[in-house]
Amino acid sequence: MEKVRPTVKSPLAAAAFFLGALAPALAGDVPPWSERVLHSPIDLAEIAAAPMEERIARLKQRGEQLFTGKFIRADGAGRPLATQAIIPTKRRRPAHQDFQRLAGLDANACASCHHEPVIGGGASFTANVFVSEGFESADFDTTDPQFSNERGSTALHGSGLIELLAREMTHDLQALRDDALERARRTGTAQVARLTSKGVSFGAVTANPDGSLDISAIEGIDPDLVLRPFSQKGVFGSLRQFSINALNSHHGIQAVERFGATWTGTPDFDADEVPDEIGAADISALVAFQATLPAPSRKTDLPEAWREAAARGETLFAETGCTGCHIPALPLASTVFHDPGPLETAGTLRTDDVDEPLAIDLGVLAFVRALPRDANGHVLVPLFGDLKRHRIADTREPTLGNELLGQRFVDRDVFITAELWGVGATAPYGHRADLTSLDEIIRAHAGEATASSEAYMALADDDRQAIIAFLRSLDIPE
């Protein structure tokens, strides 16, 4: 069947389009004791017309209900004839059990895996998930690492600022590429573009007069030069993509904009007898909740000995070369978060589908107002990261490269730099959440991080402890 995109415009009209099929089932008042999470959908048009502070507050309230609510069968929980894949894919047969630790279902709520130290945070090893390569081969029921990778849950605090940084950097890199293509066409000679944004280098691309590109020197990013800052492999470009994938994979809640009739030809792709499970407006609320989670900060109530050690440790952290990847702060020009964003892909609501995306100005939030600004007035986001992928394992130290299954064409020993701004509150560590201490995870760094790891190990014990004191001062406040 030919797949067509909705012709409806305006986020608000699009929301109505996607939610329209729900109206008959949701008629009447919902009793206050209802176990349902997905009942009366929000009025996105009304919320979008409200003043910014009220708009954010109402979206956050609904988003938190969705994030913490425990989905039940009446909501659409379960996907008996659909896999966890990001592309709508039928199962060969219904799963023997609805809930299982492998291909899911493995959680009733988003907060089941994102709750430490507070809602939206990460989780311990007990909440690990199993992920496939991500496309359509996700119908498995084995822990064999050839079929799935075990992953720890990452904290989502500050993710709105992270996505905004990724959007701006993507724009910069693609503009450099496009400029090189124009120069090559105009001059008739090959042109090299050095791909750098916000001080982070992603290698280079060579543009040829015939319009072709030599992408062999690109580093740490996909050839399309789109930064995808979410997941430990850096393969999801937006909170909207991340949320739609997770809802289907972990809960069996299928978003209309990907699994509905527009793309699959049926309102009940997973055959659980609940059509049109979650509409565009509620996805926007879920995105808004995550995007407005406060950024991690630093502990302020430390004893003097800890403060002194942390200050010395921060200096040593830089001197050992750790800030080469864990950059203390990146500048952000605009704090306005649009949903859907400019980099959404097929199967996710896109800006072309709406007249005007929903705008959420993170700049009105207290935690953003408290961040420092550079000489250009740009917000300095203290993420301790670079949004770039790096090879961090080798034959000498394979700990962080022990997966057997590639994900979204990213090599098994390549991961996106972990943002450290809340690392003091996110133990245990590593992509499998099986390294118990900060000392262990630093020692496990190899590949591109070998020099920094060896420099750390060469320090005196007091100096290593100072670095740990610094890292443990980077906190997600309770």
Side-chain angles (χ1 to χ4, degrees), residues 63-69 109-111 114 119-120 156 286 289-290:
E64 185 170 10
Q65 291 172 349
L66 294 167
F67 196 88
T68 59
C110 303
H114 296 279
I119 297 300
L156 298 170
L286 190 57
F289 170 71
Q290 295 169 88

Side-chain angles (χ1 to χ4, degrees), residues 192-207:
V192 176
R194 303 294 175 187
L195 300 172
T196 301
S197 176
K198 301 186 188 296
V200 182
S201 172
F202 294 87
V205 63
T206 300

Side-chain angles (χ1 to χ4, degrees), residues 370-406:
L371 294 176
R373 293 179 177 261
D374 65 13
N376 297 314
H378 297 168
V379 174
L380 293 174
V381 181
L383 73 168
F384 285 94
D386 62 1
L387 307 187
K388 179 180 176 180
R389 300 187 194 123
H390 297 271
R391 195 171 306 279
I392 56 172
D394 53 31
T395 54
R396 176 192 63 82
E397 177 48 81
T399 300
L400 297 180
N402 59 3
E403 294 185 344
L404 298 182
L405 184 69

